Amino acid sequence: MSSAIKLLLPGLLLLNMSVLAQTKKIYHKGWIDFNKNAVKDVYEDQGETIERRLDNLISLMTMEEKTMQLVTLYGYGRVATDELPTEGWKQELWKDGLANIDEASNGVSDKAQYTFPYSKHVWALNTIQEFFIEETRLGIPVEFTNEGIRGLNHVKSTSFPAQIGMGSTWNPELLYKVGQVIGKEAYALGYNNIYSPVLDVARDQRWGRIVESFGEDPFLVSEYGVQISKGIQEQGVVNTLKHFAVYSAPKGGRDGYVRVDPHITWRDMHQMYLYPFKRAIQETDIMGVMSSYNDYDGEPITGSHYFLTELLREDYGFKGYVVSDSEALAYLHYQHHVVDSYKEAVKLAITAGLNVRTTFNPPDKFINPLRELVREGAISQELLNKRVREVLHVKFKEGLFDQPYKEEKLADKVVKNDAHKALSLQASRESMVLLKNKDNTLPLDENALKSVLVCGPTAKATASSISRYGALKTNVISGYEGIVDRLKGKVDVVFSEGIDIKDENWPDSEIFEVPLNQKESEMIADAVAKAEKTDAIILFVGEEKEMVGENLSRTDLNLPGHQRKLLTALSKTGKPLIVVLINGHPLTVNYADRQADAVLEAWFPGEYGGQAIAEIIFGDYNPGGHLPVTFIKSVGQIPHNFPYKPNSQAGQAKDGPNGTGKSRIVTELYPFGHGLSYTTFKYSNLSIENNLSTDSGVLTVSFEVENTGDTAGDVVPQLYINDEVSSITVYKWQLRGFKRIHLKPNEKASVSFTLKPEALELMDINREFVVEMGVFHMAIGDSSTDFQLKGTFEITD
């Protein structure tokens, strides 16, 4: 294909005239002759139903062609040895087609040449698509897949904060817009299916991939998951949820190769970990699910008929296809040991409900044993057809059989345009959480300052805001850069690194004390000396990208290395001390809470994170984020999170013969839902209108909230429900509504939440979801522990 794509016929993008001479006979107005027989077959007829097109296509396919629709080829530099089609492709397995190509020239591999400019990438994908349409017997288009959890995983696409940061926005409408951007950029760049969002509920603060989670509460995660999915899908792109199922509860919070043995109950699994997947599938048009590596109660998910068929398809109503997460299929053999060979693992997974094997090795590793199983009858033609049909159904839904090529010039106009960059900045602003603000230390008054010290090992950090699963090679504004730019010509900015982010013995130093060496002592002394000559200290501490993420769980959650010693030394100067956290785990920052005047949680804040931090510190933007996870005081408190069962996180007995209650710290550092503001809010006029029965009606909760301060700001009213008496023990309080609202000084807003019976469901003794009669309590406030309004209602029938 040449460098230009032209719209030559209505509704169909065609190759330019240099190749049209050889191919024009298959391209017609309103249809493509994929099998090149000069007849409009049913599967080529855009006026036919998808079901009839599927019936026809599958009837024409050979066993070789069917099996190739069940495997992924990773793009050039990952598995594929060619970035564009070659003559050799006609002898490769994919001469019979492919399910998809993942990460095709997206930039994860530095070898790829066709990542940028954007139009060049679209040209490359069109060229690959041309091979599958014109050089394979049935012309079945290939699907292009890619990651996209914090922006599209492509060079110079729009970058967003880490998912844990976006979880801190408490703004599903913002996440809907983020989904739109991911979908628009994916569509423009030629991708069809985006692996996003992560719907894993992160309940263990040590878990490495907590940075990729929206938080610890299933309702909060669900609200985000539904909205970001809708945003992606509305752009003509399908999305694949990950990681199904129970992936985020590994034993001991471990990550990496120890993704097994989650110690959670059946009810917790359904009510906590599966709830977001169920809601996203039932409330949006989900066409993809990624099966996870782990097992549940000894049953590996990727080999489980219960999880992949009974639950996912029959109960939730999923209509798309299931793709394996990397080595999940192989793990059936060499990690879980439930089969004695890789071939048997293939049989188990396909029988269970897996459709497409995706991992970082050539397709033949999977295809050869799959074909043996089909020839031997171990996998029936009926089952093979079913799995292939589920994949092809998605391709028809994507429009690949109607308009397989994308317009090149569109990408240059869409990707990372001004509107998308503005949304990225807003996401960074809204993701930040003010954890402490003693005596209104923040915002700092620049007019009262002559100089400030910007200090700490994460002050100039940028790499942590670039994700393997998000935008690549983008220019990140560090906190230091943001402050320098904000104060340019007004206040002198002095810098000192202060300390390295970790010491030479880390992570061993997490469990034993390591003294400062001479260099480290000199670094801290330099910071203190500079601090004493300035008017305020802005200290950046936290983690680097190598400390949190996939394969990166932690043993301890304190600040790594000697950062705490730097913090303590600076606190003794008596200067206003503002701590900014750049991190992925919710850290046990007890010393920061006690010694600093203000603490701002910025997470890994994205491309415009430094600008947003500076705007908040100097009062251009009033922070309104709230925590989506509990900040504990010690890893010894784990598990300690929200929601929780009654008294499960309470104190110990102080009276009686068996205890004094002085052996354990039981309170968290910052609770779920916590977040401060530069202004104050007042709640009033609670009204409850109850028309609920156990299976119908609605509950309407209304109230007013007023900004009682002198600064405009965002308030996040949170609605919590408690079932007074139930047939089984349920969580003490459950989040069932929230909304982020911007209010000017003295402005008042009327707020209402509407609940249906399913918001009060529990899984009863028969493991069925039911709503029971009885008295329910409700509370509205600024966090899971700060309730401003309370009420009661009852279900009587």
Side-chain angles (χ1 to χ4, degrees), residues 315-346:
D315 188 2
Y316 295 175
F318 174 64
K319 302 298 183 184
Y321 77 81
V322 179
V323 59
S324 67
D325 188 3
S326 192
E327 288 291 272
L329 187 150
Y331 276 10
L332 299 176
H333 170 45
Y334 70 77
Q335 187 185 77
H336 299 298
H337 306 291
V338 295
V339 290
D340 62 6
S341 68
Y342 181 82
K343 180 178 175 180
E344 285 299 307
V346 173

Side-chain angles (χ1 to χ4, degrees), residues 4 6 23 95 127 152 178 252 271 306 316 505 508 538 542 579 589 646 659 743 763 785:
K6 295 182 178 179
T23 62
K95 69 181 183 301
T127 301
L152 185 69
V178 170
Q271 296 178 143
Y306 170 74
Y316 295 175
N505 294 292
D508 287 350
I538 304 172
V579 168
V589 286
L743 294 176
M763 181 175 272
T785 61

Side-chain angles (χ1 to χ4, degrees), residues 392-421:
L392 293 175
H393 171 76
V394 174
K395 291 189 176 186
F396 276 108
K397 287 273 290 186
E398 291 166 339
L400 283 174
F401 287 87
D402 301 334
Q403 188 165 310
Y405 302 111
K406 296 290 180 65
E407 182 184 352
E408 295 171 22
K409 293 182 180 179
L410 176 65
D412 292 329
K413 299 176 183 177
V414 170
V415 183
K416 206 165 188 176
N417 60 36
D418 289 344
H420 293 184
K421 289 187 284 188

